[in-house]
Structures are given as structure tokens and as C-alpha cells.
Amino acid sequence: MASRITTLEAFNAELERIQARAQGLVPEAGDAAALEAARVELVGRESGALTALGTSLGSLPKEQRREAGQGFNLVRTAVEAALEAARARLAAASGTGALADPTMPPRTSWRGSRHPVSIVLDELEDIFRELGFTIALGPEAEHEWYNFGALNFPADHPAMDLHDTLYLGAGTLHHGDHAISLLRTHTSPVQVRTLQSYAPPIRILAPGTVYRRDFFDATHAPAFAQLEGLAIDEGISFADLKATLTLFARRFYGAGTRTRFGPSYFPFTEPSAQMEVEVDLGDGRGNRWLEIMGCGLVHPAVLESAGIDSERYSGWAFGMGPGRIAMSRYGITDIRLLYDSDVRFLEQFAAC
Ligand code: PHE
């Protein structure tokens, strides 16, 4: 048919016919097979209508070829764009396409899930809530006095070293009377803020992110979650600490779980201890002792720095890392997995 086209009128009429055909055919294509049939009919190398028309360009009178060629190119470009748009539309609808990352699982099978640290944190909070603890929050940008000074750190304590603490630009931000000068290295400053704001009896739980200048490797992260606990009342002793934390461990790790307390050191507790639980991490090595938190009786100097009478009141505090606890519970051996947002990792917690 195309070989009989020798005039510009006939050429343009055929071009219009193909354009109208394409406008009906391409947007209607409901699946990849229909789209491929349309592509072959329109621009297929052997029998496509546009392809054939293109070969007749040479049969037109010389002075008409330029105009005919320009119209032809416009239509061919529009048809190819419409085919490409239809391909993208079908690919998006099926969740598999040239635009999708080929290493990802098909989108239709992605399942939303909670992050393992959030799952663990919720559970920890539920257990302590039942024991009468309420949630308290504090700022992540903190003043040195709350992070260190009020917590009885001596002025030359190594934790305050630039190598461990992320300091903010000096004197640029203010919170109350104190210039904010660092990112908190632990959630313990929330102890001080709570003691300043509330009268005993106090039982609070302070979850939050803390920051340290640290490597980012399999066992260290420069920003991680902590969960702080604080209980203040008249007549509180180390026996209360042991009883409460052992009850917590049995709720979280299982009824028969054994705990033990060993000596430790923190400037803001005296005596200081670390609590270990006996757990089977499911790695074939059987039961073993795992240190899960630091704790101790609140140092009288901390109570006094917040204006609480340390002769009348005493209390205990603990700090633990929900990230490490999540790792122990789920057998995660590289802490970086908690930060990667890799759906192949995260979707494994959909059932939790
Ligand atoms: N703040 C301590 C830490 O970061 C943990 C802790 C909290 C210890 C409360 C004792 C009491 O490691």
C-alpha cells in the first residue's frame, strides 16, 4: 500500500489515519501482550504502518519530501512516546518494571512491620508501666550541667572528652538558664530534670536517643536508644532495686530466668551495679550470662543538686539499651542492621 503513495496528499492522509489508529490503540492496551501487538502494528520493523509509510517518503516529489518528513517525524515521536508511557503505566500497575530496582522483592509482597527496637521498647515500657512507672522525656540537645555536672561527674571525667561526647557550637542555643552545648551521651540527665520538676514519690521511665562519638561497626553506633528508669521515695533500698529488676527480667525473658548483680561504677550511683540475665541466645551455645543494664542507688549528690533532701529520700536508677536487648532477643549480630532500613531485614518482624 505504501508503495502506491506518490503524492503529499496521499502521504498526509495515511499519516493521519495511523495517528488516529495509535490514539485509539495505545491507551486501550490493557496488558503487555496487547501493547506489544499495538507496537508491532504501528512501528514494527517488518510490517509496522509507520515503518512502511517512511519507506514511501522517497517516492514523493523532491520538493515535498521535506514537509512530509517533518510531519512524519512528529507523528513517529508522538507514537513512540505514547508506547513508552503505556509501558510505564502497565509496569507500575503490576509492580514490576524497568524503573524498579531489580534486586528488590516484588512490591506486592512488601509487608509493613515495626522496627525490632520499637517492638522491644514497647514491651519494656508495658512491663514497667504495670509496675507504676510513667514516661518522662528530655531534650537530646542538652547542657553539660544536666548531662555531667548534676550527675556528679568530676570536672575532668574522661567521658566528657571530645573523643566521646558530641559538643554543639558553644553558646548558640539556650534552654532556660543553661546554654545547650552537647548531644546527651545518656538518658540520665532526664533523672535530674525530673527530680527538679516533681516531688517524690517518683517512678519514671525515660526512653530516648543518645549520642556518642563512636565507630559505626558491628557492635557500635554513634546514635542509639536508651531506656532510663528512676524510683525515688522514703526508705528505698538496694533490695527494692533487685526485686523490681528481677521481676522485670522474668517478665521479659521468661518466668524462670535467673539474674545476678555484679559491681560496677557510675558517678551518679552508689553503690553501682550491672545486672546480668541468664539467657539462651539461640546460637547453639546454650545458656549464658548477658549484661543488660547498669544500675544503682541514686548518689546523694545527685538528689542534692536537684534540690531533694537526701536525708529523707533515697532511690535507685537503671539504664539499658533496647537495641542490644533486641539483638539478644532476635539473634541479630550486626548492630548496623538496625539502622539500614533494609526491607528484607525489617519484614522478618512483621509477625512480631
Ligand atoms: N547512664 C548510664 C550509661 O549510659 C547507665 C546507667 C543509668 C547506670 C542509670 C546507672 C543508673 O551507661
Side-chain angles (χ1 to χ4, degrees), residues 185-188 191 212 224 226-229 266 268-269 272-273 293-296 316-320:
T185 60
H186 53 176
T187 41
S188 299
Q191 287 189 33
R212 292 184 194 171
F224 54 96
Q226 268 199 347
L227 182 65
E228 188 92 8
F266 303 99
F268 40 92
T269 47
S272 301
M293 67 171 92
C295 54
W316 52 267
F318 69 83
M320 61 178 131

Side-chain angles (χ1 to χ4, degrees), residues 171-206:
T172 48
L173 297 162
H174 285 80
H175 181 91
D177 292 328
H178 304 285
I180 293 170
S181 60
L182 49 76
L183 292 177
R184 65 180 177 193
T185 60
H186 53 176
T187 41
S188 299
V190 184
Q191 287 189 33
V192 183
R193 289 180 175 277
T194 304
L195 292 169
Q196 282 183 331
S197 312
Y198 299 94
I202 289 169
R203 265 181 283 182
I204 57 108
L205 206 55

Side-chain angles (χ1 to χ4, degrees), residues 314-339:
S314 59
W316 52 267
F318 69 83
M320 61 178 131
R324 285 193 192 285
I325 291 179
M327 289 172 75
S328 74
R329 159 163 294 183
Y330 299 116
I332 300 163
T333 52
D334 190 325
I335 202 170
R336 288 168 295 194
L337 284 167
L338 299 178
Y339 299 84

Side-chain angles (χ1 to χ4, degrees), residues 50-335:
L50 269 179
T51 317
L53 186 62
T55 62
S56 68
L57 264 174
S59 321
L60 295 180
K62 259 209 172 86
E63 64 279 9
Q64 293 180 338
R65 282 184 206 159
R66 193 179 146 84
E67 189 191 331
Q70 280 173 350
F72 177 82
N73 282 336
L74 281 178
V75 171
R76 191 177 57 184
T77 306
V79 167
E80 276 167 359
L83 287 167
E84 185 49 42
R87 209 177 352 258
R89 167 175 56 82
L90 292 174
S94 73
T96 60
L99 294 178
D101 175 352
T103 66
M104 287 296 201
R107 213 171 292 175
T108 46
S109 79
W110 290 6
R111 276 186 298 163
S113 64
R114 308 208 57 217
H115 193 277
V117 174
S118 301
I119 296 169
V120 161
L121 200 49
D122 270 3
E123 231 178 279
L124 299 172
E125 287 178 9
D126 278 350
I127 293 171
F128 282 100
R129 213 191 324 256
E130 258 184 60
L131 299 173
F133 286 72
T134 50
I135 303 289
L137 299 175
E140 292 178 15
E142 188 55 284
H143 188 264
E144 221 172 14
W145 186 78
Y146 283 106
N147 197 80
F148 294 124
L151 289 166
N152 199 37
F153 280 75
D156 58 352
H157 194 281
M160 295 163 72
D161 199 286
L162 270 174
H163 294 289
D164 294 318
T165 301
L166 287 155
Y167 284 92
L168 299 170
T172 48
L173 297 162
H174 285 80
H175 181 91
D177 292 328
H178 304 285
I180 293 170
S181 60
L182 49 76
L183 292 177
R184 65 180 177 193
T185 60
H186 53 176
T187 41
S188 299
V190 184
Q191 287 189 33
V192 183
R193 289 180 175 277
T194 304
L195 292 169
Q196 282 183 331
S197 312
Y198 299 94
I202 289 169
R203 265 181 283 182
I204 57 108
L205 206 55
T209 306
V210 305
Y211 301 86
R212 292 184 194 171
R213 249 177 208 253
D214 217 334
F215 294 107
F216 198 16
D217 60 25
T219 54
H220 300 87
F224 54 96
Q226 268 199 347
L227 182 65
E228 188 92 8
L230 175 70
I232 305 286
D233 205 346
E234 290 181 39
I236 286 201
S237 70
F238 202 85
D240 297 295
L241 175 159
K242 280 183 80 169
T244 310
L245 294 180
T246 298
L247 181 70
F248 149 73
R250 298 203 171 133
R251 292 253 172 102
F252 187 80
Y253 286 102
T257 304
R258 295 202 298 162
T259 59
R260 72 183 183 193
F261 292 80
S264 188
Y265 174 76
F266 303 99
F268 40 92
T269 47
E270 179 59 35
S272 301
Q274 58 176 43
M275 182 170 101
E276 296 176 309
V277 291
E278 195 186 27
V279 286
D280 184 344
L281 297 178
D283 57 3
R285 289 164 63 188
N287 279 358
R288 66 177 187 276
W289 290 100
L290 184 72
E291 192 231 307
I292 61 161
M293 67 171 92
C295 54
L297 294 187
V298 178
H299 197 295
V302 175
L303 296 173
E304 295 294 339
S305 74
I308 302 241
D309 181 357
S310 64
E311 295 291 330
R312 182 170 169 200
Y313 293 106
S314 59
W316 52 267
F318 69 83
M320 61 178 131
R324 285 193 192 285
I325 291 179
M327 289 172 75
S328 74
R329 159 163 294 183
Y330 299 116
I332 300 163
T333 52
D334 190 325
I335 202 170

